[in-house]
Amino acid sequence: MLSKPISFIKERINRYFVISKHRTLNYFLFTLALIIISRLLMIAFFISKYGTLRDYIIFTTSTYDNNWFGSIITGGYVKEPNGHAAGDAANWAFFPLAPLMVKIFSFNCLLNYRVVGIILNTLFFALAITVAYRYVTDFHDSIKVVLIFTAIMVFGPFSFYFSSLYSESLFMLLTMLFLYHLRRENYILMGIFGAALSATRVTGVLMAFAVLVYVICKHVKEKRGNVIVFIKETLQNHRLILGVCLIPLGLFLYMLYLKNLTGDAFAFMHIQKAWGRHL
Amino acid sequence: MKSKTKLAFKVLAYLLCAALMIFYLVIFFSKPNVSIEYRLYYIDDVLMDWVGDGGLDYKLGTPINFGTENNDLNARRKGRGWDTSSANYVSVIKNDAPLFFTFDASNDLICTIKFGETNINSYNIKANATTVLNAAKQKNGSVSFEIDKSLISEDRLLTLSFEMDTTDISEQPYLQIISIVINEKEGE
C-alpha cells in the first residue's frame, strides 16, 4: 500500500537532490522550508501555552546568553566587569564575529537586531545543513544520511538555539565550510574559514587538529612513506602550512583587541571566573 | 615565467606564515597591564570578592569591622582560607589566609588586630611573606605590631597572612578576627 508513495518520494529526491543541475539550491530551499515548518510548530506550541509571538521573540533572543550577545551588538565590549550580582562578569567571554554579523545586517541596530538575528541565524543554519549535504553527497554519495541528519537537526528539541542570537548557527556553518574545503584540499580557503571559526568561538582554534588528523590519515591511506617523508611533504606544502597558520588568526585578533581594551589579552578566559570556572 | 610566479607565491606564503607565528607569540606572551585587583581576582584567583579597580585601596587609620553585618566594600579584601559566615567576625580556617591592602606609606606602620575566640596553640602573622608577629597567643583582645614600610611591595600592595600552629588540634582549627586598623607610625 505504501510502495507507490515511497517510490514517488524516492524518485523526487533523486530528481531534485541528486541528478538536478540546481541540486544545491533545491536542497537549500528544501531545508529552509523544513526550518520554517519547525519554527512555526515551535511558535504555535509556545503561543498555545505561554504567550504571544512577541513573547516568543523575546524568549528566544533575550534569555540567558542572548543578553550578553545583545549587549555586544548594541553597546560593544565593556571596559570593566559589572555583570551578575557579584559585579564580576563582562561580555568578553563571547567572541565577536556572530554579534558583529547581526550588527552589520541590522545596519548598526537601525533595524530591530532581535528580528534580524533570528532571520540571519536561521539562514546560517539552513546554509550549514546545505554545505553538509554537499559534503556527504560529494564524498560519500549518500542522500539518505543527509536527509536523516537534516531531520534531526531541524526538528531536534534544541534546534531553537539555531534561531536565536547565539553563535551556534554561524559556528556550524563555518565548521561545515571548513571541513568541506579541507576535504577538497583548498587549504587557503579552509584557513580563511578557520580564522572566522576562531573569531566565533575559542574552540574554533582546535580545528587545526582536524587538519592534522586528515593529513595523517591521508598519508597512511596512500602509503606515502615513513614519518620523515610525512613531515617533509607536509612542510613543503605551502598552501597547507599557510591554511593552518591562518586558523588562530581570528582568536589572536580578538586577543589583541582585548589587550587594548582591558590590558589583558586573555580577558576572555579569565572572565570565566564569573561563571564559576577558573582556567 | 609561470614557475617564477609559483616560486614567488611560495616564498610569500612562508613569509606570511612566519609573520603570523611572530604575531601569535607576541600576543601570547604579552604581560597583562591591569590593576592589582584584576590581577588578584581574575589571574591569580586569590581574591574572593570582586571589588572593582581600586577597591583594595585602604585609607590608613580606618578601622575595618568584619562579619556579614559589616560586609561593606572595605571589608571585602579577603583571599582563600576564611570562614565568612558569622555576623560579627571572620575566621581563619586554613593557613596563609590573606587580607589585601593597597596604600601609600611614607613611614613604618602599626597594625592593630582585635581577635575573638580561637582553638589553636599560637599564630604567626606575615606581611608580604615576612613574619612580623611570631607565636602570638592573644585571644579575645587586641594585638598591635609594627610593619616596616620596606615590606610594602612596589605596586603598593600589603598582604597580611595568618599562619596557625595546629599541633595536636584534632578538630577544625579557627582563629576569629573581629576588626583591623593600620596606622602610620609618626615620623621620628
mmCIF file of all heavy atoms in Angstrom, chain A residues 198-239:
data_model
loop_
_atom_site.group_PDB
_atom_site.id
_atom_site.type_symbol
_atom_site.label_atom_id
_atom_site.label_comp_id
_atom_site.label_asym_id
_atom_site.label_seq_id
_atom_site.Cartn_x
_atom_site.Cartn_y
_atom_site.Cartn_z
ATOM 1 N N SER A 198 37.636 30.722 14.604
ATOM 2 C CA SER A 198 38.284 31.079 15.884
ATOM 3 C C SER A 198 37.879 32.476 16.332
ATOM 4 O O SER A 198 38.111 32.844 17.487
ATOM 5 C CB SER A 198 39.801 30.959 15.784
ATOM 6 O OG SER A 198 40.339 31.932 14.932
ATOM 7 N N ALA A 199 37.259 33.261 15.429
ATOM 8 C CA ALA A 199 36.708 34.558 15.833
ATOM 9 C C ALA A 199 35.262 34.420 16.299
ATOM 10 O O ALA A 199 34.676 35.384 16.782
ATOM 11 C CB ALA A 199 36.765 35.539 14.670
ATOM 12 N N THR A 200 34.697 33.206 16.152
ATOM 13 C CA THR A 200 33.303 32.965 16.557
ATOM 14 C C THR A 200 33.237 32.321 17.938
ATOM 15 O O THR A 200 32.398 32.672 18.765
ATOM 16 C CB THR A 200 32.595 32.076 15.522
ATOM 17 O OG1 THR A 200 32.695 32.684 14.242
ATOM 18 C CG2 THR A 200 31.133 31.871 15.863
ATOM 19 N N ARG A 201 34.093 31.332 18.162
ATOM 20 C CA ARG A 201 34.202 30.695 19.475
ATOM 21 C C ARG A 201 35.650 30.254 19.666
ATOM 22 O O ARG A 201 36.311 29.898 18.694
ATOM 23 C CB ARG A 201 33.316 29.453 19.571
ATOM 24 C CG ARG A 201 31.846 29.717 19.413
ATOM 25 C CD ARG A 201 31.085 28.422 19.456
ATOM 26 N NE ARG A 201 30.735 28.114 20.826
ATOM 27 C CZ ARG A 201 29.515 27.796 21.219
ATOM 28 N NH1 ARG A 201 28.558 27.704 20.372
ATOM 29 N NH2 ARG A 201 29.252 27.533 22.489
ATOM 30 N N VAL A 202 36.112 30.192 20.889
ATOM 31 C CA VAL A 202 37.517 29.856 21.141
ATOM 32 C C VAL A 202 37.830 28.426 20.670
ATOM 33 O O VAL A 202 38.937 28.132 20.223
ATOM 34 C CB VAL A 202 37.874 30.056 22.632
ATOM 35 C CG1 VAL A 202 37.146 29.079 23.540
ATOM 36 C CG2 VAL A 202 39.363 29.950 22.851
ATOM 37 N N THR A 203 36.829 27.543 20.720
ATOM 38 C CA THR A 203 37.054 26.151 20.311
ATOM 39 C C THR A 203 37.338 26.038 18.817
ATOM 40 O O THR A 203 37.830 25.006 18.363
ATOM 41 C CB THR A 203 35.836 25.274 20.661
ATOM 42 O OG1 THR A 203 34.641 25.996 20.318
ATOM 43 C CG2 THR A 203 35.809 24.950 22.135
ATOM 44 N N GLY A 204 37.042 27.082 18.050
ATOM 45 C CA GLY A 204 37.331 27.059 16.620
ATOM 46 C C GLY A 204 38.806 26.819 16.331
ATOM 47 O O GLY A 204 39.154 26.221 15.313
ATOM 48 N N VAL A 205 39.671 27.239 17.234
ATOM 49 C CA VAL A 205 41.104 27.107 17.005
ATOM 50 C C VAL A 205 41.526 25.624 17.013
ATOM 51 O O VAL A 205 42.557 25.253 16.448
ATOM 52 C CB VAL A 205 41.886 27.940 18.054
ATOM 53 C CG1 VAL A 205 42.004 27.223 19.376
ATOM 54 C CG2 VAL A 205 43.224 28.361 17.537
ATOM 55 N N LEU A 206 40.690 24.781 17.629
ATOM 56 C CA LEU A 206 41.013 23.353 17.685
ATOM 57 C C LEU A 206 40.859 22.649 16.345
ATOM 58 O O LEU A 206 41.249 21.482 16.209
ATOM 59 C CB LEU A 206 40.119 22.665 18.729
ATOM 60 C CG LEU A 206 40.297 23.167 20.170
ATOM 61 C CD1 LEU A 206 39.267 22.511 21.089
ATOM 62 C CD2 LEU A 206 41.691 22.901 20.672
ATOM 63 N N MET A 207 40.305 23.330 15.359
ATOM 64 C CA MET A 207 40.159 22.715 14.039
ATOM 65 C C MET A 207 41.513 22.420 13.406
ATOM 66 O O MET A 207 41.597 21.632 12.466
ATOM 67 C CB MET A 207 39.334 23.619 13.113
ATOM 68 C CG MET A 207 37.886 23.800 13.548
ATOM 69 S SD MET A 207 37.048 22.245 13.838
ATOM 70 C CE MET A 207 36.477 21.843 12.192
ATOM 71 N N ALA A 208 42.556 23.045 13.931
ATOM 72 C CA ALA A 208 43.905 22.722 13.448
ATOM 73 C C ALA A 208 44.174 21.223 13.637
ATOM 74 O O ALA A 208 44.877 20.600 12.828
ATOM 75 C CB ALA A 208 44.937 23.560 14.192
ATOM 76 N N PHE A 209 43.624 20.636 14.699
ATOM 77 C CA PHE A 209 43.820 19.195 14.938
ATOM 78 C C PHE A 209 43.055 18.357 13.926
ATOM 79 O O PHE A 209 43.490 17.251 13.574
ATOM 80 C CB PHE A 209 43.408 18.844 16.373
ATOM 81 C CG PHE A 209 44.311 19.436 17.403
ATOM 82 C CD1 PHE A 209 43.923 20.549 18.133
ATOM 83 C CD2 PHE A 209 45.580 18.923 17.632
ATOM 84 C CE1 PHE A 209 44.767 21.133 19.070
ATOM 85 C CE2 PHE A 209 46.429 19.497 18.570
ATOM 86 C CZ PHE A 209 46.019 20.609 19.290
ATOM 87 N N ALA A 210 41.924 18.892 13.438
ATOM 88 C CA ALA A 210 41.189 18.176 12.387
ATOM 89 C C ALA A 210 42.050 18.078 11.127
ATOM 90 O O ALA A 210 42.064 17.049 10.458
ATOM 91 C CB ALA A 210 39.893 18.909 12.075
ATOM 92 N N VAL A 211 42.784 19.147 10.837
ATOM 93 C CA VAL A 211 43.680 19.141 9.683
ATOM 94 C C VAL A 211 44.784 18.109 9.882
ATOM 95 O O VAL A 211 45.108 17.335 8.973
ATOM 96 C CB VAL A 211 44.306 20.534 9.449
ATOM 97 C CG1 VAL A 211 45.197 20.521 8.219
ATOM 98 C CG2 VAL A 211 43.231 21.595 9.313
ATOM 99 N N LEU A 212 45.333 18.085 11.083
ATOM 100 C CA LEU A 212 46.414 17.142 11.390
ATOM 101 C C LEU A 212 45.943 15.699 11.200
ATOM 102 O O LEU A 212 46.626 14.883 10.561
ATOM 103 C CB LEU A 212 46.900 17.365 12.829
ATOM 104 C CG LEU A 212 48.054 16.481 13.315
ATOM 105 C CD1 LEU A 212 49.317 16.776 12.512
ATOM 106 C CD2 LEU A 212 48.332 16.715 14.803
ATOM 107 N N VAL A 213 44.763 15.410 11.737
ATOM 108 C CA VAL A 213 44.219 14.050 11.617
ATOM 109 C C VAL A 213 44.003 13.710 10.149
ATOM 110 O O VAL A 213 44.338 12.612 9.691
ATOM 111 C CB VAL A 213 42.894 13.930 12.419
ATOM 112 C CG1 VAL A 213 42.170 12.644 12.084
ATOM 113 C CG2 VAL A 213 43.174 14.013 13.913
ATOM 114 N N TYR A 214 43.474 14.669 9.399
ATOM 115 C CA TYR A 214 43.189 14.421 7.986
ATOM 116 C C TYR A 214 44.466 14.106 7.210
ATOM 117 O O TYR A 214 44.524 13.136 6.439
ATOM 118 C CB TYR A 214 42.474 15.631 7.373
ATOM 119 C CG TYR A 214 42.264 15.509 5.890
ATOM 120 C CD1 TYR A 214 41.267 14.683 5.384
ATOM 121 C CD2 TYR A 214 43.086 16.184 4.986
ATOM 122 C CE1 TYR A 214 41.084 14.546 4.022
ATOM 123 C CE2 TYR A 214 42.904 16.047 3.623
ATOM 124 C CZ TYR A 214 41.905 15.233 3.143
ATOM 125 O OH TYR A 214 41.724 15.089 1.784
ATOM 126 N N VAL A 215 45.501 14.931 7.389
ATOM 127 C CA VAL A 215 46.722 14.719 6.594
ATOM 128 C C VAL A 215 47.437 13.430 7.010
ATOM 129 O O VAL A 215 48.021 12.750 6.170
ATOM 130 C CB VAL A 215 47.678 15.943 6.621
ATOM 131 C CG1 VAL A 215 47.039 17.132 5.955
ATOM 132 C CG2 VAL A 215 48.159 16.286 7.977
ATOM 133 N N ILE A 216 47.361 13.099 8.293
ATOM 134 C CA ILE A 216 47.982 11.840 8.743
ATOM 135 C C ILE A 216 47.247 10.660 8.119
ATOM 136 O O ILE A 216 47.866 9.735 7.568
ATOM 137 C CB ILE A 216 47.991 11.729 10.282
ATOM 138 C CG1 ILE A 216 48.978 12.719 10.898
ATOM 139 C CG2 ILE A 216 48.341 10.315 10.728
ATOM 140 C CD1 ILE A 216 48.927 12.802 12.412
ATOM 141 N N CYS A 217 45.909 10.684 8.202
ATOM 142 C CA CYS A 217 45.119 9.578 7.641
ATOM 143 C C CYS A 217 45.356 9.440 6.138
ATOM 144 O O CYS A 217 45.494 8.327 5.613
ATOM 145 C CB CYS A 217 43.626 9.806 7.890
ATOM 146 S SG CYS A 217 43.167 9.572 9.607
ATOM 147 N N LYS A 218 45.437 10.561 5.469
ATOM 148 C CA LYS A 218 45.655 10.549 4.011
ATOM 149 C C LYS A 218 47.027 9.932 3.705
ATOM 150 O O LYS A 218 47.164 9.095 2.794
ATOM 151 C CB LYS A 218 45.585 11.980 3.493
ATOM 152 C CG LYS A 218 45.628 12.133 1.996
ATOM 153 C CD LYS A 218 45.232 13.543 1.593
ATOM 154 C CE LYS A 218 45.312 13.691 0.092
ATOM 155 N NZ LYS A 218 46.546 14.241 -0.413
ATOM 156 N N HIS A 219 48.008 10.335 4.476
ATOM 157 C CA HIS A 219 49.372 9.845 4.271
ATOM 158 C C HIS A 219 49.454 8.333 4.482
ATOM 159 O O HIS A 219 50.064 7.601 3.694
ATOM 160 C CB HIS A 219 50.319 10.561 5.239
ATOM 161 C CG HIS A 219 51.762 10.267 4.994
ATOM 162 N ND1 HIS A 219 52.532 10.973 4.087
ATOM 163 C CD2 HIS A 219 52.589 9.329 5.532
ATOM 164 C CE1 HIS A 219 53.768 10.483 4.077
ATOM 165 N NE2 HIS A 219 53.831 9.487 4.937
ATOM 166 N N VAL A 220 48.775 7.873 5.530
ATOM 167 C CA VAL A 220 48.798 6.439 5.850
ATOM 168 C C VAL A 220 48.020 5.657 4.791
ATOM 169 O O VAL A 220 48.458 4.615 4.301
ATOM 170 C CB VAL A 220 48.211 6.202 7.262
ATOM 171 C CG1 VAL A 220 47.943 4.733 7.513
ATOM 172 C CG2 VAL A 220 49.138 6.752 8.332
ATOM 173 N N LYS A 221 46.862 6.192 4.414
ATOM 174 C CA LYS A 221 45.998 5.502 3.444
ATOM 175 C C LYS A 221 46.712 5.366 2.085
ATOM 176 O O LYS A 221 46.595 4.325 1.427
ATOM 177 C CB LYS A 221 44.723 6.323 3.268
ATOM 178 C CG LYS A 221 43.524 5.567 2.727
ATOM 179 C CD LYS A 221 42.295 6.454 2.792
ATOM 180 C CE LYS A 221 41.174 5.851 1.975
ATOM 181 N NZ LYS A 221 39.992 6.706 1.929
ATOM 182 N N GLU A 222 47.417 6.410 1.692
ATOM 183 C CA GLU A 222 48.092 6.388 0.388
ATOM 184 C C GLU A 222 49.481 5.754 0.468
ATOM 185 O O GLU A 222 50.202 5.723 -0.534
ATOM 186 C CB GLU A 222 48.182 7.812 -0.168
ATOM 187 C CG GLU A 222 46.812 8.377 -0.550
ATOM 188 C CD GLU A 222 46.851 9.858 -0.893
ATOM 189 O OE1 GLU A 222 47.948 10.456 -0.962
ATOM 190 O OE2 GLU A 222 45.766 10.430 -1.096
ATOM 191 N N LYS A 223 49.849 5.314 1.660
ATOM 192 C CA LYS A 223 51.125 4.611 1.892
ATOM 193 C C LYS A 223 52.297 5.403 1.299
ATOM 194 O O LYS A 223 53.073 4.902 0.493
ATOM 195 C CB LYS A 223 51.095 3.203 1.292
ATOM 196 C CG LYS A 223 50.080 2.276 1.962
ATOM 197 C CD LYS A 223 50.235 0.860 1.421
ATOM 198 C CE LYS A 223 49.370 -0.125 2.181
ATOM 199 N NZ LYS A 223 48.047 -0.334 1.677
ATOM 200 N N ARG A 224 52.407 6.655 1.717
ATOM 201 C CA ARG A 224 53.387 7.552 1.095
ATOM 202 C C ARG A 224 54.770 7.497 1.747
ATOM 203 O O ARG A 224 55.668 8.181 1.314
ATOM 204 C CB ARG A 224 52.843 8.976 1.126
ATOM 205 C CG ARG A 224 51.589 9.149 0.262
ATOM 206 C CD ARG A 224 50.955 10.497 0.522
ATOM 207 N NE ARG A 224 51.741 11.543 -0.130
ATOM 208 C CZ ARG A 224 51.448 12.062 -1.297
ATOM 209 N NH1 ARG A 224 50.400 11.631 -1.974
ATOM 210 N NH2 ARG A 224 52.180 13.015 -1.822
ATOM 211 N N GLY A 225 54.900 6.756 2.822
ATOM 212 C CA GLY A 225 56.235 6.633 3.403
ATOM 213 C C GLY A 225 56.223 6.821 4.908
ATOM 214 O O GLY A 225 55.168 6.868 5.535
ATOM 215 N N ASN A 226 57.437 6.941 5.472
ATOM 216 C CA ASN A 226 57.546 6.975 6.926
ATOM 217 C C ASN A 226 57.324 8.395 7.471
ATOM 218 O O ASN A 226 56.951 9.313 6.713
ATOM 219 C CB ASN A 226 58.912 6.425 7.371
ATOM 220 C CG ASN A 226 60.070 7.239 6.800
ATOM 221 O OD1 ASN A 226 59.889 8.398 6.394
ATOM 222 N ND2 ASN A 226 61.246 6.637 6.733
ATOM 223 N N VAL A 227 57.587 8.572 8.758
ATOM 224 C CA VAL A 227 57.318 9.847 9.440
ATOM 225 C C VAL A 227 58.133 10.986 8.833
ATOM 226 O O VAL A 227 57.635 12.106 8.662
ATOM 227 C CB VAL A 227 57.631 9.711 10.956
ATOM 228 C CG1 VAL A 227 57.501 11.049 11.659
ATOM 229 C CG2 VAL A 227 56.680 8.717 11.602
ATOM 230 N N ILE A 228 59.386 10.681 8.487
ATOM 231 C CA ILE A 228 60.270 11.716 7.923
ATOM 232 C C ILE A 228 59.689 12.216 6.599
ATOM 233 O O ILE A 228 59.639 13.426 6.346
ATOM 234 C CB ILE A 228 61.698 11.147 7.670
ATOM 235 C CG1 ILE A 228 62.209 10.397 8.886
ATOM 236 C CG2 ILE A 228 62.632 12.230 7.158
ATOM 237 C CD1 ILE A 228 62.917 11.204 9.920
ATOM 238 N N VAL A 229 59.231 11.283 5.786
ATOM 239 C CA VAL A 229 58.631 11.646 4.489
ATOM 240 C C VAL A 229 57.380 12.481 4.738
ATOM 241 O O VAL A 229 57.150 13.492 4.059
ATOM 242 C CB VAL A 229 58.285 10.371 3.677
ATOM 243 C CG1 VAL A 229 57.495 10.722 2.435
ATOM 244 C CG2 VAL A 229 59.549 9.614 3.322
ATOM 245 N N PHE A 230 56.597 12.071 5.717
ATOM 246 C CA PHE A 230 55.370 12.788 6.044
ATOM 247 C C PHE A 230 55.674 14.233 6.443
ATOM 248 O O PHE A 230 55.068 15.178 5.933
ATOM 249 C CB PHE A 230 54.626 12.075 7.187
ATOM 250 C CG PHE A 230 53.530 12.901 7.811
ATOM 251 C CD1 PHE A 230 52.351 13.133 7.126
ATOM 252 C CD2 PHE A 230 53.679 13.452 9.072
ATOM 253 C CE1 PHE A 230 51.340 13.897 7.683
ATOM 254 C CE2 PHE A 230 52.673 14.220 9.626
ATOM 255 C CZ PHE A 230 51.503 14.443 8.951
ATOM 256 N N ILE A 231 56.651 14.413 7.337
ATOM 257 C CA ILE A 231 56.994 15.760 7.812
ATOM 258 C C ILE A 231 57.513 16.607 6.641
ATOM 259 O O ILE A 231 57.117 17.772 6.468
ATOM 260 C CB ILE A 231 58.041 15.685 8.944
ATOM 261 C CG1 ILE A 231 57.402 15.042 10.186
ATOM 262 C CG2 ILE A 231 58.596 17.065 9.289
ATOM 263 C CD1 ILE A 231 58.369 14.730 11.295
ATOM 264 N N LYS A 232 58.368 15.986 5.807
ATOM 265 C CA LYS A 232 58.956 16.719 4.686
ATOM 266 C C LYS A 232 57.866 17.160 3.708
ATOM 267 O O LYS A 232 57.812 18.330 3.311
ATOM 268 C CB LYS A 232 59.958 15.794 3.997
ATOM 269 C CG LYS A 232 60.938 16.489 3.074
ATOM 270 C CD LYS A 232 61.941 15.501 2.494
ATOM 271 C CE LYS A 232 62.609 16.086 1.267
ATOM 272 N NZ LYS A 232 63.373 15.104 0.500
ATOM 273 N N GLU A 233 56.996 16.243 3.360
ATOM 274 C CA GLU A 233 55.942 16.565 2.391
ATOM 275 C C GLU A 233 54.985 17.613 2.941
ATOM 276 O O GLU A 233 54.542 18.507 2.215
ATOM 277 C CB GLU A 233 55.161 15.295 2.030
ATOM 278 C CG GLU A 233 55.866 14.434 1.012
ATOM 279 C CD GLU A 233 55.031 13.251 0.578
ATOM 280 O OE1 GLU A 233 53.877 13.117 1.048
ATOM 281 O OE2 GLU A 233 55.533 12.469 -0.241
ATOM 282 N N THR A 234 54.682 17.490 4.228
ATOM 283 C CA THR A 234 53.760 18.444 4.837
ATOM 284 C C THR A 234 54.371 19.849 4.844
ATOM 285 O O THR A 234 53.714 20.820 4.465
ATOM 286 C CB THR A 234 53.423 18.021 6.272
ATOM 287 O OG1 THR A 234 52.882 16.698 6.242
ATOM 288 C CG2 THR A 234 52.402 18.956 6.914
ATOM 289 N N LEU A 235 55.613 19.951 5.252
ATOM 290 C CA LEU A 235 56.252 21.270 5.327
ATOM 291 C C LEU A 235 56.457 21.884 3.950
ATOM 292 O O LEU A 235 56.518 23.109 3.821
ATOM 293 C CB LEU A 235 57.591 21.168 6.065
ATOM 294 C CG LEU A 235 57.474 20.903 7.574
ATOM 295 C CD1 LEU A 235 58.847 20.691 8.192
ATOM 296 C CD2 LEU A 235 56.753 22.033 8.296
ATOM 297 N N GLN A 236 56.560 21.041 2.936
ATOM 298 C CA GLN A 236 56.751 21.559 1.581
ATOM 299 C C GLN A 236 55.442 22.014 0.957
ATOM 300 O O GLN A 236 55.439 22.691 -0.071
ATOM 301 C CB GLN A 236 57.402 20.480 0.700
ATOM 302 C CG GLN A 236 58.901 20.398 0.907
ATOM 303 C CD GLN A 236 59.531 19.267 0.129
ATOM 304 O OE1 GLN A 236 58.838 18.397 -0.421
ATOM 305 N NE2 GLN A 236 60.847 19.246 0.083
ATOM 306 N N ASN A 237 54.329 21.669 1.582
ATOM 307 C CA ASN A 237 53.024 22.059 1.069
ATOM 308 C C ASN A 237 52.691 23.437 1.633
ATOM 309 O O ASN A 237 52.076 23.576 2.693
ATOM 310 C CB ASN A 237 51.968 21.018 1.476
ATOM 311 C CG ASN A 237 50.644 21.264 0.816
ATOM 312 O OD1 ASN A 237 50.359 22.376 0.357
ATOM 313 N ND2 ASN A 237 49.816 20.232 0.754
ATOM 314 N N HIS A 238 53.108 24.492 0.893
ATOM 315 C CA HIS A 238 52.990 25.853 1.442
ATOM 316 C C HIS A 238 51.536 26.264 1.623
ATOM 317 O O HIS A 238 51.206 27.030 2.546
ATOM 318 C CB HIS A 238 53.731 26.848 0.548
ATOM 319 C CG HIS A 238 53.210 26.906 -0.864
ATOM 320 N ND1 HIS A 238 53.510 25.940 -1.808
ATOM 321 C CD2 HIS A 238 52.416 27.814 -1.468
ATOM 322 C CE1 HIS A 238 52.926 26.270 -2.950
ATOM 323 N NE2 HIS A 238 52.250 27.379 -2.776
ATOM 324 N N ARG A 239 50.646 25.766 0.796
ATOM 325 C CA ARG A 239 49.220 26.109 0.935
ATOM 326 C C ARG A 239 48.660 25.528 2.240
ATOM 327 O O ARG A 239 47.915 26.188 2.963
ATOM 328 C CB ARG A 239 48.442 25.580 -0.252
ATOM 329 C CG ARG A 239 48.635 26.379 -1.508
ATOM 330 C CD ARG A 239 47.666 25.934 -2.604
ATOM 331 N NE ARG A 239 47.457 26.992 -3.573
ATOM 332 C CZ ARG A 239 48.271 27.256 -4.587
ATOM 333 N NH1 ARG A 239 49.353 26.539 -4.778
ATOM 334 N NH2 ARG A 239 48.017 28.256 -5.407
#
